[in-house]
Amino acid sequence: MIGIDAWKQRMPRRDEALPGRERTVLPTQAHHVLGRSLLAADHPGMARIWFGMGCFWGAERKFWSLPGVRSTAAGYAGGYTSNPAYREVCSGMTGHAEVVQVIHDPAQIGLDELLRVFWESHDPTQGMRQGNDIGTQYRSAIYAADVTQLAAAEASARRYQTALDQAGLGAITTEIALAGPFYYAEDEHQQYLSKHPDGYCGLGGTGVSCPVGPVPRI
């Protein structure tokens, strides 16, 4: 987008990013819906993946009700600043996307189903925005825990692009990469729409269904 908000859609360079801090912020409360810990270490044997779909309030709600999802958490990933705060992420000077950590039992819900929900629940063609939410923190992103997840995400993007092409829609701009550090958002942002049912949710999909395929073998 060219105009008054164009600066919000430019990723900062590493040397421009805010410095952050050494102190790690961890959630102090159990999941408001599921009643379980938000910490991955408290779910041994489970898999996890991180999705950016715009504002993480609505994105998190898309996943916590799925059978087989053990826990979800809002947070920040894909940037440079260590242990960023919400206002710093919103400044556009940390490089992070607002993301949801999804911890799931692979025996109960497969990665292909999580990817289907991801693609169908937002518009992955909008670049550094999602609807009226404009800025690098609102970009579409998948951060994979390992190369198997990464290959599955890339394959699903190719399938969904074919479906979008058939519908006459644009090119996917989703960032797909191996995960770097994930930082938990502050307690007030965790399961926000469960705590505030009338709160803001800017998610909106394309209306195009995502073909489901097998997870590639590595």
Side-chain angles (χ1 to χ4, degrees), residues 99-184:
V99 302
V100 177
Q101 175 177 261
V102 179
I103 299 173
H104 67 104
D105 183 346
Q108 295 185 38
I109 184 168
L111 180 58
D112 55 350
E113 176 62 11
L114 296 177
L115 289 166
R116 183 192 65 77
V117 172
F118 168 79
W119 293 117
E120 294 182 1
S121 297
H122 76 302
D123 184 344
T125 71
Q126 295 190 333
M128 300 297 184
R129 65 179 298 170
Q130 197 61 212
N132 292 325
D133 292 330
I134 299 173
T136 54
Q137 77 268 31
Y138 299 120
R139 67 188 184 270
S140 175
I142 303 172
Y143 298 117
D146 54 40
V147 293
T148 300
Q149 280 190 353
L150 182 67
E154 291 172 339
S156 71
R158 291 191 292 271
R159 291 193 298 269
Y160 198 50
Q161 185 64 68
T162 297
L164 291 174
D165 291 344
Q166 293 171 348
L169 298 179
I172 288 172
T173 60
T174 303
E175 177 185 358
I176 302 176
L178 287 172
F182 167 74
Y183 302 104
Y184 287 92

Side-chain angles (χ1 to χ4, degrees), residues 63-85:
F63 292 99
W64 72 48
S65 61
L66 297 176
V69 169
R70 299 288 299 172
S71 187
T72 60
Y76 316 113
Y80 307 119
T81 300
S82 59
N83 299 297

Side-chain angles (χ1 to χ4, degrees), residues 175-197:
E175 177 185 358
I176 302 176
L178 287 172
F182 167 74
Y183 302 104
Y184 287 92
E186 299 83 341
D187 281 342
E188 64 195 87
H189 297 294
Q190 302 299 341
Q191 300 85 59
Y192 184 88
L193 292 181
S194 175
K195 301 170 185 174
H196 307 278

Side-chain angles (χ1 to χ4, degrees), residues 54-61 74-76 86 98-100 138 185 189:
C55 176
F56 50 21
W57 294 347
E60 187 179 10
R61 184 170 62 179
Y76 316 113
Y86 179 70
E98 294 187 19
V99 302
V100 177
Y138 299 120
H189 297 294

Side-chain angles (χ1 to χ4, degrees), residues 23-69:
R23 185 176 67 87
T24 299
V25 175
L26 296 177
T28 64
Q29 303 166 0
H31 197 285
H32 194 257
V33 179
L34 301 175
R36 304 186 184 106
S37 172
L38 276 60
L39 302 178
D42 293 333
H43 300 277
M46 299 295 103
R48 58 178 172 162
I49 190 169
W50 297 265
F51 295 117
M53 302 160 60
C55 176
F56 50 21
W57 294 347
E60 187 179 10
R61 184 170 62 179
K62 287 291 182 180
F63 292 99
W64 72 48
S65 61
L66 297 176
V69 169

